Amino acid sequence: MSMTDEAASDAPETGRPCCCCTAGEHRTPESEEPERERLNRKWNEILQETRVAQTGVQILFGFLLSVAFTAHFHRLETFDHVVYVITVILGASATGALIAPVSIHRLLSGQRMKDHIVRVAGRLMVFGMVLLALTIGGTLLLLLHVVVPSLLAELLVGGVMLWFAVCWYGLPAWLRRRSARDDQA
């Protein structure tokens, strides 16, 4: 039996690969994966996710910092200044949360704490993504409030934030429930 045949025999009984694997590459369940390999895989996944999120938050944060130095900024109303300050604080907090896993790993490397590091880094990533979504919402509110009437700006931002909630949190929750149902069947 070749390696491809062995991998195919591990595939789901439907003969098709599962949703996370390509044909002939079915992965073993986490429970069968050695602990050290599982932690290393999870850490590598967190690093990849962090790279994507950090890039977005850093570009957005840089944009936000530059806004205060434009001529138009000083003509904005108090509401816009408050939104700006809150948004900059959210952006700085998101940056801190999304970079923290790298710092934690660097400071604790070699301490045999990878299980704790992975767990904390995962939570920081989720928290950082919430802060990033709020930063995006605040940025949109600031920009749209200048361009369109206030109520329309708030409705548009509310719609975008709802979309973020569905895509970033609702869909994963739905997929988790669906997977749990499939596993019970």
Side-chain angles (χ1 to χ4, degrees), residues 64-65 67-68 73 80-89 142:
L64 285 169
L65 293 178
V67 168
F73 181 77
D80 298 315
H81 283 203
V82 169
V83 169
Y84 175 77
V85 168
I86 291 169
T87 303
V88 167
I89 290 169
L142 182 64

Side-chain angles (χ1 to χ4, degrees), residues 10-27 172 174-176 178-180 182-183:
D10 288 339
E13 293 177 20
T14 62
R16 295 180 314 232
C18 67
C19 64
C20 61
C21 307
T22 59
E25 283 189 352
H26 185 70
R27 296 181 195 126
W174 176 76
L175 287 169
R176 180 179 282 176
R178 184 175 174 182
S179 178
D182 291 349
D183 287 346

Side-chain angles (χ1 to χ4, degrees), residues 50 53-54 57-58 61 88-104 120-121 123-125 127-129 131-132 135:
T50 299
Q54 280 177 350
V57 76
Q58 288 171 343
F61 190 58
V88 167
I89 290 169
L90 287 168
S93 300
T95 301
L98 293 170
I99 293 174
V102 176
S103 175
I104 290 169
V120 169
R123 289 182 183 139
L124 282 165
M125 284 293 301
F127 187 62
M129 295 302 291
L131 292 170
L132 176 57
T135 303

Side-chain angles (χ1 to χ4, degrees), residues 111-170:
Q111 300 296 312
R112 298 178 187 242
M113 299 176 62
K114 192 167 265 185
D115 56 337
H116 299 296
I117 292 169
V118 166
R119 191 171 31 260
V120 169
R123 289 182 183 139
L124 282 165
M125 284 293 301
V126 171
F127 187 62
M129 295 302 291
V130 169
L131 292 170
L132 176 57
L134 293 172
T135 303
I136 292 169
T139 303
L140 278 174
L141 184 58
L142 182 64
L143 293 172
L144 292 176
H145 194 255
V146 171
V147 180
V148 298
S150 292
L151 179 60
L152 180 57
E154 292 162 9
L155 290 173
L156 290 170
V157 171
V160 170
M161 296 310 295
L162 179 62
W163 178 247
F164 270 81
V166 167
C167 291
W168 288 10
Y169 305 102

